[in-house]
Amino acid sequence: GYDLTSHQDRAEVETYVRAVQPQLLIAGPLYKLMSGNPVEEMSAKPVSQFFDYLRSTYGVTLIIEAHSPYAQNGAPRPMRPYGWSGWSRWPEFGIHISKIGKLSHWRGPREERDWPRALQRGEPWPWMLADDDRLEGMWKECVTMASLLGYQPSARELEEKLGYSKSAIGRVLKARKVEWDTINFGE
């Protein structure tokens, strides 16, 4: 990996960008792109300044992978990036990808863009544009099966009856938890 606080590593990345002239540069995970503590401004700010330099000098678009901090005290895991608070203000867009591929903005966009609602794991890229119909279809099949059974089945029961993996069903049910918990399956 690169340490973008190092002059040598920054020079190597810039040489690559100058030679290739990419339209898109994907970097990350963010916390691994620097030496020192990624929470401290002294470690992280030089990295953001280098990214700003690449953007302004070469017109490159950046996608930076950043991980979320751990959840604390039973609260949900925050959607903001782990590290220096400046990362929460820095990007044009801050988008969180949930475990099931749902996209949520953790930072308000500086301009409006048309973003997909969800992504799904795929090939050749780890995340591909989601087939909303597939996710919605899996949800509808879960609800239909529960209605036929007359009770709220477990993810394992739905796996056996519908043929989807238990983890995929679990992610869909978790994403629709409030709705799933309020459906009266006995009617």
Side-chain angles (χ1 to χ4, degrees):
Y2 287 105
D3 173 4
L4 296 180
T5 62
S6 150
H7 293 292
Q8 180 179 347
D9 284 1
R10 282 197 309 261
E12 188 174 328
V13 170
E14 183 177 3
T15 299
Y16 169 79
V17 170
R18 184 184 314 114
V20 175
Q21 294 291 310
Q23 292 180 357
L24 175 65
L25 180 63
I26 301 172
L30 185 58
Y31 71 93
K32 289 186 174 184
L33 294 174
M34 64 197 77
S35 62
N37 185 343
V39 174
E40 294 177 357
E41 181 177 4
M42 188 167 54
S43 298
K45 192 168 185 176
V47 176
S48 74
Q49 290 171 329
F50 178 64
F51 284 146
D52 282 335
Y53 168 77
L54 291 178
R55 291 172 61 209
S56 64
T57 304
Y58 299 101
V60 66
T61 298
L62 286 163
I63 293 179
I64 303 171
E65 172 193 359
H67 296 202
S68 299
Y70 289 119
Q72 294 184 4
N73 302 324
R77 195 169 186 165
M79 289 194 294
R80 65 174 175 75
Y82 170 74
W84 171 55
S85 65
W87 292 120
S88 293
R89 299 181 305 271
W90 184 78
E92 303 297 319
F93 303 94
I95 299 173
H96 175 265
I97 304 174
S98 74
K99 288 183 179 182
I100 64 165
K102 182 180 176 198
L103 299 178
S104 304
H105 288 268
W106 54 262
R107 180 203 181 286
R110 292 188 176 144
E111 61 183 69
E112 289 302 314
R113 297 277 176 94
D114 189 20
W115 294 98
R117 289 185 2 210
L119 300 175
Q120 65 188 32
R121 295 200 180 270
E123 292 290 334
W125 293 88
W127 290 99
M128 307 290 290
L129 188 59
D131 177 359
D132 284 343
D133 294 338
R134 181 180 157 272
L135 297 174
E136 188 63 25
M138 187 185 303
W139 165 249
K140 287 179 180 175
E141 286 183 57
C142 290
V143 171
T144 300
M145 182 55 66
S147 295
L148 290 172
L149 294 171
Y151 63 91
Q152 188 181 71
S154 68
R156 183 170 305 284
E157 288 177 277
L158 290 169
E159 172 190 29
E160 293 169 6
K161 302 220 180 271
L162 299 176
Y164 297 111
S165 73
K166 180 182 167 200
S167 62
I169 289 171
R171 287 190 300 265
V172 168
L173 296 181
K174 184 176 180 182
R176 306 283 289 259
K177 181 176 179 10
V178 172
E179 192 174 351
W180 181 248
D181 289 345
T182 59
I183 296 174
N184 184 350
F185 294 105
E187 293 182 351

